[in-house]
Amino acid sequence: MTAGHDKQGGKVFAAHAIKYLLTAAIVGGAIFLLHRYIARMAWHDVLAALERIPRWHVGGSILATLVSWACLTAYDVFAVETVVPGKVSMKMKIFSGVTTHAICNALGFHAITGTALRYRMLSTQGVSAPDVARVVGLVGFAVGMGFAAVTAIALMLEPAIAHGWGRWLGLALIVLFVLLLRWLAGKHDELKLWKFTTPVPSARSAGAQIVIGVIEMIGAITAMYLLLPTDVAGSFLDFAPIYVGAILAGIVSNTPGGIGAFEAITLAAFPQEQRAQVLAALLAYRAIYGLGPFVLASLALGGYELRRRTRKAT
């Protein structure tokens, strides 16, 4: 028994060590690249590039951000209704979803902050901690499907992304989606992983979430794409893989909002003479897609907590 526990503990330690080493490598690489790129820039060029961003492009970026956040909130609505159908009001599902995503996007550590924030709000309507964990799992799964769906579309439209093998990889992802939907269309209403069980969405619900995921990613990509000069950004399909790769690097890095890794990967995709303009777009994007929603969500959450305590006091 002791030997078995020691062996299991060793595997867990090794897994954590690999995870932390990978994170440290990504963060270290990001810091090195950012220092290298930014050291060659003149800040007056970056500020001038910020001023040259057309106002209607800024407005379009804000609109695309709203579309993206609405889709992210829809993930929570689907997840809560799947796990505890009819138990949580639509108003609370929307409020919990939008505030949690906005705050988690800025702070990072989604598994921890997302679970804590959702539990704080959903528990007021009788949702247990295990059910909140199931909601978090389903939301994460939906976000992953969105990434995979956009990747599949990009590979099918631009097979050269993967040096000629892109179309086959895209087709493989589409086949996996079809198999998943066929499995969900069967009599499967629950998924069991070791001792953890969770309800699963219907095939129709999962299909809707895949479509929402594509719209969400297009909205997020557009929010950044519109802030880049037209002659720098290139076509939307050329920029989309850069954005998705930068987002994935940010997620793996575990830094708040993927900061550092996201910027480093994006800057690395452009030549040095264009990086001042790209950095200006990144700063504007962080303000619109990250800081703005975070501030609004924090104020909304603070107002919710204040109103809740006031009601308890009376």
Side-chain angles (χ1 to χ4, degrees):
M1 179 68 75
T2 303
H5 280 297
D6 288 343
K7 187 175 180 181
Q8 187 67 27
K11 289 181 179 179
V12 171
F13 176 79
H16 282 298
I18 292 171
K19 177 183 176 182
Y20 293 138
L21 286 172
L22 179 61
T23 298
I26 292 174
V27 173
I31 292 172
F32 170 78
L33 288 174
L34 282 175
H35 180 267
R36 182 179 177 184
Y37 296 152
I38 294 174
R40 298 178 182 179
M41 297 181 197
W43 277 104
H44 61 81
D45 291 337
V46 177
L47 293 175
L50 270 171
E51 293 175 356
R52 286 196 301 269
I53 298 175
R55 296 295 175 263
W56 74 271
H57 279 210
V58 174
S61 178
I62 293 172
L63 181 60
T65 296
L66 292 174
V67 170
S68 178
W69 285 113
C71 291
L72 288 171
T73 303
Y75 289 150
D76 272 68
V77 173
F78 276 107
V80 173
E81 193 58 28
T82 299
V83 175
V84 284
K87 194 169 187 177
V88 180
S89 67
M90 179 59 71
K91 183 178 178 181
M92 177 54 75
K93 283 185 283 193
I94 292 173
F95 180 74
S96 172
V98 70
T99 53
T100 297
H101 281 290
I103 293 173
C104 287
N105 182 66
L107 299 182
F109 307 104
H110 289 67
I112 299 172
T113 55
T115 303
L117 286 168
R118 287 186 179 94
Y119 181 72
R120 180 67 178 172
M121 288 175 275
L122 296 178
S123 63
T124 62
Q125 302 207 358
V127 181
S128 65
D131 280 339
V132 171
R134 293 181 177 95
V135 168
V136 173
L138 287 178
V139 171
F141 180 68
V143 172
M145 286 199 301
F147 272 111
V150 169
T151 301
I153 293 171
L155 289 170
M156 293 299 290
L157 294 176
E158 293 285 339
I161 292 172
H163 304 290
W165 291 91
R167 192 157 287 157
W168 291 105
L169 293 173
L171 185 61
L173 285 171
I174 291 172
V175 170
L176 290 175
F177 276 124
V178 172
L179 292 175
L180 172 65
L181 293 176
R182 279 180 62 89
W183 183 80
L184 291 173
K187 295 182 179 179
H188 301 288
D189 56 1
E190 190 176 76
L191 177 65
K192 185 173 183 179
L193 297 171
W194 294 280
K195 295 181 180 180
F196 182 78
T197 60
T198 182
V200 293
S202 65
R204 180 178 296 181
S205 176
Q209 290 182 68
I210 291 171
V211 173
I212 290 170
V214 172
I215 297 171
E216 187 275 317
M217 283 300 300
I218 290 174
I221 296 168
T222 302
M224 174 67 191
Y225 180 76
L226 287 174
L227 299 171
L228 288 164
T230 307
D231 58 329
V232 172
S235 73
F236 186 84
L237 285 177
D238 287 335
F239 177 71
I242 298 172
Y243 181 93
V244 173
I247 284 289
L248 290 174
I251 292 172
V252 175
S253 73
N254 276 325
T255 57
I259 193 167
F262 177 83
E263 284 77 9
I265 295 298
T266 305
L267 288 170
F270 295 88
Q272 181 61 42
E273 60 270 15
Q274 295 179 340
R275 284 175 184 153
Q277 296 166 298
V278 175
L279 181 58
L282 283 166
L283 293 172
Y285 170 80
R286 282 293 186 182
I288 292 171
Y289 196 88
L291 182 60
F294 172 71
V295 171
L296 292 174
S298 298
L299 290 173
L301 184 60
Y304 167 78
E305 289 291 339
L306 182 62
R307 186 168 63 253
R308 187 181 171 199
R309 293 188 181 188
T310 302
R311 285 177 181 175
K312 280 186 177 181
T314 56

